Amino acid sequence: MIATAPVIDPLEVNADAIALATTDSASFLRGYGKINDPILGTVNFEWWPHLDSLLQLWQLNRMVICLKARQLGVSWLVAGYSLWTAMYHPGATVLLL
């Protein structure tokens, strides 16, 4: 069973929400993730169930090759997870290909 991350309400920012976002990438992305849509403008990152298992896979394995279809949210997940890693893990190396 895959555990889901708690959702942070960006309107209720407090020390606990910030601490959770700095230690849990899924909570960071669910609470603060935004996407630039060409038609709708800036919208919240929509979290789909398959993203939990993919994020766990990335966290447990150093190198992952991901064969994917389009429109699954994976590219945005990569960008968000990379941002979170760079922000909250000093000295981390982030490489996107």
Side-chain angles (χ1 to χ4, degrees):
M1 180 110 198
I2 296 171
T4 58
V7 177
I8 299 171
D9 184 357
L11 299 177
E12 295 182 18
V13 176
N14 56 40
D16 292 335
I18 293 170
L20 181 61
T22 61
T23 58
D24 182 35
S25 57
S27 295
F28 172 77
L29 294 170
R30 286 177 177 214
Y32 302 107
K34 303 289 183 192
I35 294 175
N36 292 321
D37 184 271
I39 296 170
L40 302 174
T42 302
V43 296
N44 291 331
F45 180 61
E46 187 174 345
W47 194 267
W48 294 316
H50 68 276
L51 297 177
D52 282 316
S53 58
L54 185 56
L55 189 57
Q56 269 190 344
L57 180 70
W58 291 343
Q59 291 170 338
L60 295 174
N61 298 283
R62 185 167 177 257
M63 292 189 224
V64 176
I65 296 173
C66 183
L67 177 63
K68 64 173 213 60
R70 295 175 46 125
Q71 304 297 318
L72 295 176
V74 175
S75 297
W76 286 109
L77 182 65
V78 168
Y81 182 62
S82 299
L83 173 66
W84 177 83
T85 301
M87 287 175 61
Y88 298 116
H89 291 85
T93 301
V94 177
L95 174 64
L96 304 175
L97 298 177

